[in-house]
């Protein structure tokens, strides 16, 4: 990671590292906290139960809750399934009705035995007692019956009444019970006697089993209490109420649970989420403060970290909650891989752990997704610790897929999942996650390195290849300069290793530091192989300006070939603000007037990094050795 450190630029935000830590801590806490608690879905409903909805309302996330509406419906069904409880047949009613029957027959007996009254008068007396229930002709015929026949009617009536009244007869069953009288009458009676028994018994049948309100209510209360609370699950994107439909109590309840109609804020959940974010940011800042303070002084790295944290939180918020397959597809490893390849592997491991905890929280406390995300992110970050080839991203993605497969399979076995189709779908998504993570990392790598002008070992290795178009042009047009650049590169690389600077960066910088000589190679002694020096025919000022111009020419070529800025910086800085001393001395020797030193000075700037300083020294040493032709080691030193 030395390449990245060498290219850092400080960005003071007042008060030093502590002030910068507080600034970025507040920024990260605000961004991540807002993403975590912000409801990104439709505004709250301004309707009531029974109103017509003016739009479709979809669930913003998957949610499972206890539905009071459905629970109450189940309780009402359970209550309605319990029939009314009736007391058993009351024997007092039977005694009362039997007593009434005996009183009736005793009265009729007294009328039958009255020898002084006429038949018509007897009929009138009995009719008045009966309330005209039995027709008068039937009463008259009953009064004329023989005593034995009459006794049979009385006896049978009492027997039938006794049998019927010993069964439960509810108020609504009286007519049904009276309808059973004919089947209860002895077949030994004559039709008229049976008719009389039915006529006398029917009015005497009365209800003897009555509704017990207390027992009924107790049974129904027990049935209600036995009903378990009904849990309702609403999937993300599910339509709660359609446009034009009336809002039912069930839909109103769902809108409330999803936070689409309630005006109050769920403060406990908001506070818990904000505390969680504050904890994560504190851990990250403490790590940077103690282990990587240089990152806190690099604006580009901090902006990249902010961007990746925000995008990761936003992506997780959209993909993870309530989505089993999408949650497993969320490419958390992409953030770890980008941090490892652009900034630091240790930082990538920490961020992978923090993001995994966040994903687990968003998934409702899922240990599986937390382990799933962390292992994939950690393994891929470690694989990119030495990013020397482009296919490293492919291998990192393969590691993510294998890790995801293992975790998904482990938790499927632990949960004893019996749905083979769901398990296979999950495993397929786990593999796809690795490919998606690698693809996003590769694309993000090129976008971020170009946008933030970050040079990585992979890019340096590509630039160091002799097949690079600009190096090939340097070899063809200025072979002496090319050889000089290789020598300077080797010398500078050893010096960088000795002091702990970035050897790869300084070597590649050396390869390109003199590319401006391609345009006029004949001006420089290392390319003059025929012994002719063009400067012999030029005045010193002109020669100096032509030689100094190779810096601007080099910057133009570097821009044309899209070299990274950190490599371009070596072109003006390897001479700094030094003077073209050879031509300056010549000018002083030849000139009669005072020589303006500014005509012989490089524009600079002076070296801005250890690597640029090393290159300046190596370039000067190599040029001096080549010019002086020392014969032994002591002269070289």
């Amino acid at each position: 990671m030395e390449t990245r450190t060498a290219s850092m630029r400080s960005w003071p935000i007042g008060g030093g590292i502590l002030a910068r830590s507080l600034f970025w801590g507040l920024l990260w806490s605000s961004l991540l906290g807002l993403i975590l608690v912000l409801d990104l879905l439709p505004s709250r409903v301004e309707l009531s139960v029974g109103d017509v909805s003016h739009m479709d309302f979809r669930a913003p996330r998957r949610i499972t809750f206890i539905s009071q509406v459905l629970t109450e419906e189940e309780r009402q069904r359970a209550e309605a399934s319990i029939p009314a409880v009736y007391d058993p047949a009351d024997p007092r009613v039977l005694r009362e009705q039997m007593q009434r029957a005996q009183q009736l027959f005793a009265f009729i007996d007294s009328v039958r035995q009255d020898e002084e009254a006429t038949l018509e008068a007897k009929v009138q007396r009995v009719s008045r007692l009966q309330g005209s229930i039995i027709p008068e002709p039937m009463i008259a015929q009953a009064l004329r019956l023989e005593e034995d026949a009459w006794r049979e009617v009385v006896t049978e009536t009492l027997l039938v009444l006794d049998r019927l009244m010993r069964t439960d007869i509810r108020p609504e069953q009286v007519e049904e019970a009276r309808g059973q009288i004919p089947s209860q009458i002895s077949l030994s009676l004559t039709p008229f006697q049976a008719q009389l028994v039915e006529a006398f018994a029917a009015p005497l049948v009365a209800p003897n089993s009555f509704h017990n309100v207390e027992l009924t209510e107790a049974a129904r209360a027990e049935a209600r209490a036995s009903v378990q609370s009904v849990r309702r699950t609403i999937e993300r994107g599910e339509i709660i109420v359609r446009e034009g439909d009336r809002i039912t109590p069930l839909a109103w309840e769902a809108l409330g649970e999803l936070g689409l109609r309630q005006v109050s804020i769920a403060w406990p959940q908001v506070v818990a989420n904000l505390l969680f974010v504050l904890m994560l940011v504190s851990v990250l800042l403490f790590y940077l403060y103690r282990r990587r303070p240089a990152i806190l002084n690099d604006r580009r790295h901090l902006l990249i970290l902010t961007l990746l944290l925000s995008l990761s939180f936003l992506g997780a918020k959209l993909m993870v909650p309530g989505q089993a397959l999408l949650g497993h597809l969320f490419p958390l490893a992409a953030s770890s891989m980008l941090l490892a390849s652009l900034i630091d592997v240790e930082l990538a491991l920490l961020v992978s752990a923090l993001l995994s905890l966040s994903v687990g929280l968003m998934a409702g406390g899922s240990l599986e997704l937390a382990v799933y995300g962390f292992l994939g992110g950690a393994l891929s970050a470690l694989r990119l610790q030495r990013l020397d080839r482009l296919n490293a991203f492919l291998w990192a993605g393969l590691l993510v897929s294998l890790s995801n497969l293992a975790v998904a399979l482990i938790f499927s076995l632990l949960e004893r999942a019996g749905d083979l189709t769901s398990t296979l779908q999950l495993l397929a998504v786990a593999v796809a996650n690795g490919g998606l993570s690698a693809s996003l990392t590769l694309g993000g790598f090129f976008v971020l390195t170009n946008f933030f002008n970050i040079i990585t070992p992979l890019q340096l290795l590509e630039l160091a290849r002799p097949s690079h178009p600009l190096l090939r042009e340097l070899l063809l047009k200025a072979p002496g300069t090319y050889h000089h650049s290789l020598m300077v590169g080797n010398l500078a690389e050893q010096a960088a290793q000795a002091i702990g600077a970035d050897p790869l960066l300084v070597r590649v910088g050396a390869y390109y530091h003199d590319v401006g000589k391609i345009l006029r190679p004949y001006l420089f002694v290392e390319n003059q192989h025929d012994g002719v020096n063009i400067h012999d025919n030029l005045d010193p000022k002109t020669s100096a300006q032509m030689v100094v111009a190779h810096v601007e020419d080099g910057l133009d070529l570097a821009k044309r070939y899209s070299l990274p800025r950190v490599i371009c910086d070596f072109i003006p800085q390897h001479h700094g603000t030094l003077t073209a001393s050879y031509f300056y001395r010549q000018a002083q020797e030849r000139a009669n007037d005072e020589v303006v030193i500014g005509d012989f000075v490089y524009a600079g700037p002076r070296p801005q990094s250890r690597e640029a300083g090393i290159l300046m020294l190596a370039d000067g040493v190599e040029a001096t050795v080549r010019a002086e032709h020392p014969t032994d080691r002591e002269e070289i030193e």
Side-chain angles (χ1 to χ4, degrees):
M1 299 299 104
E2 294 169 346
T3 299
R4 307 177 193 107
T5 304
S7 64
M8 291 180 181
R9 296 208 172 31
S10 63
W11 189 44
I13 312 178
I17 192 170
L18 183 59
R20 289 194 293 277
S21 300
L22 292 175
F23 172 83
W24 288 102
L26 287 174
L27 178 63
W28 294 337
S29 299
S30 302
L31 284 175
L32 304 185
L34 184 63
I35 293 172
L36 198 58
V37 304
L38 182 63
D39 195 342
L40 303 176
L41 296 156
S43 59
R44 291 181 173 86
V45 182
E46 298 294 337
L47 299 171
S48 301
V49 175
D51 291 344
V52 176
S53 174
H54 63 281
M55 61 178 290
D56 288 346
F57 287 95
R58 295 180 179 272
R61 59 187 180 278
R62 187 179 188 271
I63 185 174
T64 299
F65 61 94
I66 295 176
S67 172
Q68 299 299 331
V69 175
L70 293 178
T71 301
E72 181 58 28
E73 289 178 357
E74 287 298 318
R75 287 172 179 169
Q76 289 179 2
R77 277 193 285 270
E79 183 179 358
S81 67
I82 302 299
V85 178
Y86 285 82
D87 292 327
D90 189 348
R92 291 177 299 178
V93 177
L94 173 58
R95 285 193 290 269
E96 290 174 359
Q97 295 306 99
M98 292 294 287
Q99 187 177 2
R100 288 180 58 192
Q102 290 170 352
Q103 290 173 350
L104 171 64
F105 291 133
F107 175 76
I108 295 175
D109 282 342
S110 64
V111 172
R112 279 170 54 86
Q113 294 173 5
D114 188 357
E115 297 179 353
E116 296 180 358
T118 63
L119 180 60
E120 183 177 354
K122 292 179 180 180
V123 170
Q124 291 297 322
R125 289 172 63 187
V126 175
S127 180
R128 284 196 298 268
L129 179 64
Q130 285 293 105
S132 301
I133 295 176
I134 301 176
E136 290 185 359
M138 183 180 292
I139 294 175
Q141 192 172 356
L143 292 174
R144 290 197 298 266
L145 277 176
E146 294 293 334
E147 186 63 23
D148 291 342
W150 171 247
R151 286 294 112 199
E152 289 178 350
V153 169
V154 171
T155 302
E156 188 64 22
T157 300
L158 294 175
L159 289 173
V160 169
L161 184 61
D162 181 71
R163 281 197 296 268
L164 285 176
M165 292 295 292
R166 288 184 181 276
T167 61
D168 294 345
I169 301 176
R170 299 173 185 174
E172 66 273 14
Q173 296 175 335
V174 171
E175 292 302 322
E176 181 184 350
R178 289 173 179 171
Q180 295 176 6
I181 293 176
S183 63
Q184 299 291 324
I185 298 174
S186 174
L187 297 178
S188 62
L189 299 183
T190 63
F192 178 69
Q193 285 176 310
Q195 190 177 7
L196 281 177
V197 171
E198 183 178 357
F200 284 122
L204 294 170
V205 174
N208 60 6
S209 177
F210 300 96
H211 181 204
N212 191 318
V213 177
E214 292 182 359
L215 291 179
T216 300
E217 291 301 323
R220 290 176 177 173
E222 184 179 355
R224 284 177 61 89
S226 66
V227 174
Q228 299 293 325
S229 297
V230 178
R231 302 182 70 86
R232 183 184 181 192
T233 297
I234 297 176
E235 299 295 337
R236 181 182 179 185
E238 182 178 341
I239 294 182
I240 308 302
V241 59
R242 296 184 182 276
E243 179 182 1
D245 289 351
R246 291 192 180 276
I247 297 180
T248 63
L250 189 61
W252 186 246
E253 178 188 51
L255 293 173
E257 292 292 337
L258 289 165
L260 299 181
R261 68 169 174 83
Q262 62 187 32
V263 178
S264 60
I265 300 175
W267 286 114
Q269 184 177 0
V270 170
V271 171
N273 287 336
L274 292 179
L275 287 176
F276 177 79
V277 169
L278 188 61
M279 179 189 71
L280 296 187
V281 172
S282 299
V283 171
L284 179 58
L285 279 177
F286 189 70
Y287 165 79
L288 293 175
Y289 184 82
R290 296 300 300 269
R291 297 280 299 167
R292 294 291 187 270
I295 295 179
L296 286 172
N297 200 38
D298 190 320
R299 175 176 56 183
R300 293 172 301 170
H301 288 172
L302 289 171
L303 289 175
I304 289 174
L305 182 56
T306 303
L307 179 65
L308 292 178
L309 286 174
S310 301
L311 290 178
S312 297
F313 261 68
L314 185 60
K317 184 68 182 293
L318 295 174
M319 295 178 65
V320 171
Q323 300 292 330
L325 291 180
L326 273 182
H328 286 80
L329 186 61
F330 173 63
L332 183 147
S335 297
S336 302
M337 294 162 71
L338 282 171
L339 287 173
S341 58
L342 295 176
I343 302 179
D344 182 76
V345 172
E346 257 190 43
L347 176 64
L349 292 174
L350 176 62
V351 170
S352 178
L354 298 181
L355 288 178
S356 299
L357 292 175
S358 304
V359 168
L361 177 71
M362 295 180 196
S366 172
L367 175 63
E368 177 185 358
L369 279 182
V371 175
Y372 182 90
F374 173 70
L375 290 182
L379 288 174
S380 59
L382 292 172
R383 176 60 184 84
L384 295 178
Q385 187 170 7
R386 289 186 57 83
L387 184 59
D388 51 0
R389 292 182 180 276
L390 201 60
N391 63 7
F393 292 112
L394 175 63
W395 289 108
L398 181 60
L399 277 177
V400 174
S401 294
L402 294 176
S403 170
N404 292 345
L405 273 175
V407 174
L409 189 58
I410 288 170
F411 278 88
S412 294
L413 293 175
L414 288 176
E415 294 172 1
R416 294 182 174 88
D419 189 350
L420 181 60
T421 302
S422 299
T423 302
L424 292 177
Q425 288 178 342
L426 185 60
L427 296 179
V429 168
V431 174
N433 182 294
L436 179 61
S437 297
S439 301
L440 289 176
T441 303
L442 185 60
F445 178 82
F446 286 106
V447 170
L448 293 176
T449 52
N450 290 324
F451 185 81
F452 289 100
N453 193 39
I454 293 177
I455 190 72
T456 64
L458 178 63
Q459 292 170 294
L460 290 177
L461 290 172
E462 290 295 327
L463 291 171
R465 296 183 186 279
S467 58
H468 190 281
L470 187 53
L471 288 183
R472 194 163 56 241
E473 188 174 357
L474 179 64
L475 174 63
L476 294 175
K477 295 183 178 180
T481 300
Y482 181 82
H483 181 265
H484 159 71
S485 298
L486 293 181
M487 296 296 293
V488 170
N490 291 332
L491 185 60
E493 183 179 31
Q494 295 180 50
Q497 288 174 341
I499 69 169
D502 191 333
L504 179 59
L505 174 63
V506 73
R507 177 160 63 89
V508 176
Y511 289 172
Y512 291 90
H513 79 287
D514 270 345
V515 291
K517 295 179 180 180
I518 290 176
L519 299 182
R520 289 184 289 272
Y522 50 84
L523 293 176
F524 304 93
V525 64
E526 66 265 23
N527 298 312
Q528 297 170 354
H529 302 298
D530 53 4
V532 178
N533 190 340
I534 191 175
H535 297 290
D536 294 339
N537 300 319
L538 298 174
D539 66 275
K541 178 180 178 181
T542 301
S543 293
Q545 291 178 346
M546 294 176 69
V547 169
V548 168
H550 86 276
V551 171
E552 290 298 324
D553 294 339
L555 290 173
D556 290 340
L557 283 171
K559 183 177 181 181
R560 188 188 312 168
Y561 283 88
S562 301
L563 294 185
R565 190 169 63 190
V566 67
I567 300 300
C568 295
D569 289 342
F570 283 103
I571 296 175
Q573 291 179 24
H574 82 275
H575 283 299
T577 55
L578 296 177
T579 303
S581 56
Y582 176 78
F583 297 112
Y584 180 61
R585 287 195 301 270
Q586 275 193 342
Q588 287 180 317
E589 292 171 358
R590 298 180 186 181
N592 296 323
D593 300 327
E594 184 178 353
V595 178
V596 178
I597 192 172
D599 295 335
F600 298 86
V601 174
Y602 286 92
R606 288 185 293 181
Q608 303 295 303
S609 65
R610 293 187 298 172
E611 287 76 14
I614 290 172
L615 180 61
M616 171 187 278
L617 294 173
D619 182 60
V621 168
E622 197 280 336
T624 302
V625 168
R626 182 164 28 84
E628 299 293 338
H629 300 291
T631 57
D632 54 32
R633 182 180 181 86
E634 182 177 345
E635 290 183 9
I636 293 176
E637 291 179 352

